[in-house]
Amino acid sequence: MEPGQTILVDKLVRPAEPGTKGTFQTINWALTNAVAGDVVRVVGNAGADGDWDTLTDNFAYEIGPGPLSNQVLSDGKTLDVPKGVTLMVDAGAIFKMNQSRIGVGSSSLVVDRSGGAFQVLGTPDLSVIFTSYQDEETGIDTEPLATTPAPGDWGGIVIRNDLDRAERRFLWDEQGIFLNYVNHGDFRYGGGSLKVNGQPQIVNPISLFEAAPTISFNEITKSSDAAISADPNSFREWNFHSPRYQSDAPFTTDYSRVGPDIDLNTLVENTTNGLAVRVTT
């Protein structure tokens, strides 16, 4: 198969045959078959009644360890966007997360995940929901026991370019292209402490490391820690006039993007560390 294809993930379809590209039922199966240059698109499902608003019967993508020992939820133990792959999430999709996170970019020097991108494509009428696996009111409940969600049940989305930049690997923002995009996402019960590469760390609902995504019109509630975190280098000015960028051939940039683009309408409330605020740059 040639790269550059769009691979769909849809809970309502028959799974594709192993080793082929088509429409898959699970995210981890689709990402296993994706190669650099592919787009993996996760679609939402309104459930048997076709009504997006009745959340309890809507199909959800489940990521993390299962309730039983050595069990893994249907869409994988964790979600790491592979090298060069763009993962798009359509409006209406539901992610139920358990002690897990979504990783974009390399989290260690051992595995190269440079050039990947993650896009949350919610709309004003239909958000993408990221919630706890213990949340029985959102998405079909596949946990047989009665459960109650709590802040910190999962981590968040981690977008990091720090290691890949240090290794001089390909990054879209080095080309003036800002592919990472989080729009109209509804984040609940995140901010948990997870083990990443064997080391415990707090993962906020949106975490940035030398990354400059667009973050717009999101709602972040019931987080056990800060709603959004970023290192100082995520806000450094990009003018591409330094010798590093001008060494091949001098050029003048023609765009005004500086650092991440965070709108004034990201609602944050019920977080452990503060009152309701609106995030600004």
Side-chain angles (χ1 to χ4, degrees):
M1 292 288 184
E2 293 294 325
Q5 300 185 72
T6 297
I7 303 171
L8 294 180
V9 186
D10 189 339
K11 286 289 185 183
L12 291 181
V13 302
R14 181 179 177 181
E17 295 297 324
T20 68
K21 290 188 178 182
T23 303
F24 295 82
Q25 279 188 330
T26 65
I27 295 174
N28 60 335
W29 200 353
L31 293 180
T32 298
N33 282 270
V35 299
D38 284 346
V39 173
V40 176
R41 189 149 195 164
V42 180
V43 304
N45 291 290
D49 61 2
D51 187 348
W52 293 101
D53 293 328
T54 56
L55 294 177
T56 55
D57 74 331
N58 295 0
F59 289 92
Y61 301 94
E62 299 180 332
I63 298 169
L68 302 178
S69 178
N70 298 321
Q71 184 181 8
V72 175
L73 297 180
S74 61
D75 290 276
K77 189 172 183 178
T78 189
L79 197 167
D80 289 298
V81 179
K83 178 179 181 178
V85 172
T86 297
L87 179 60
M88 295 180 174
V89 184
D90 282 2
I94 298 173
F95 281 65
K96 298 186 74 170
M97 312 287 290
N98 185 42
Q99 301 172 40
S100 56
R101 82 197 204 301
I102 296 170
V104 188
S106 301
S107 58
S108 75
L109 296 178
V110 178
V111 180
D112 181 358
R113 297 193 182 97
S114 60
F118 186 64
Q119 299 181 339
V120 178
L121 305 176
T123 68
D125 297 324
L126 197 59
S127 297
V128 176
I129 298 176
F130 299 88
T131 189
S132 166
Y133 175 67
Q134 316 300 334
D135 183 357
E136 295 186 346
E137 297 180 354
T138 307
I140 293 176
D141 184 19
T142 59
E143 164 59 79
L145 301 177
T147 56
T148 302
D153 278 348
W154 69 287
I157 299 172
V158 182
I159 304 174
R160 62 183 309 160
N161 291 335
D162 52 341
L163 297 180
D164 293 324
R165 201 181 311 280
E167 293 296 304
R168 299 294 182 94
R169 295 168 178 167
F170 176 83
L171 292 171
W172 285 106
D173 62 14
E174 297 271 356
Q175 314 300 314
I177 299 172
F178 300 90
L179 277 186
N180 289 304
Y181 182 79
V182 185
N183 179 71
H184 284 288
D186 184 346
F187 296 80
R188 312 170 186 176
Y189 307 107
S193 177
L194 310 175
K195 281 192 174 180
V196 180
N197 299 323
Q199 300 298 318
Q201 60 181 256
I202 299 293
V203 178
N204 301 116
I206 300 176
S207 301
L208 311 179
F209 296 87
E210 294 194 19
T214 297
I215 302 172
S216 52
F217 300 99
N218 298 284
E219 185 172 347
I220 303 172
T221 59
K222 302 179 177 67
S223 174
S224 67
D225 202 75
I228 301 176
S229 64
D231 67 340
N233 284 341
S234 291
F235 296 96
R236 71 189 181 100
E237 295 187 3
W238 295 80
N239 56 27
F240 292 90
H241 291 170
S242 66
R244 173 177 175 179
Y245 301 106
Q246 298 283 323
S247 58
D248 292 336
F251 65 95
T252 301
T253 57
D254 58 358
Y255 59 91
S256 58
R257 180 70 175 263
V258 176
D261 183 6
I262 303 177
D263 75 84
L264 301 180
N265 295 287
T266 293
L267 174 64
V268 181
E269 64 181 8
N270 299 329
T271 59
T272 299
N273 65 338
L275 300 175
V277 298
R278 289 191 181 274
V279 177
T280 61
T281 51

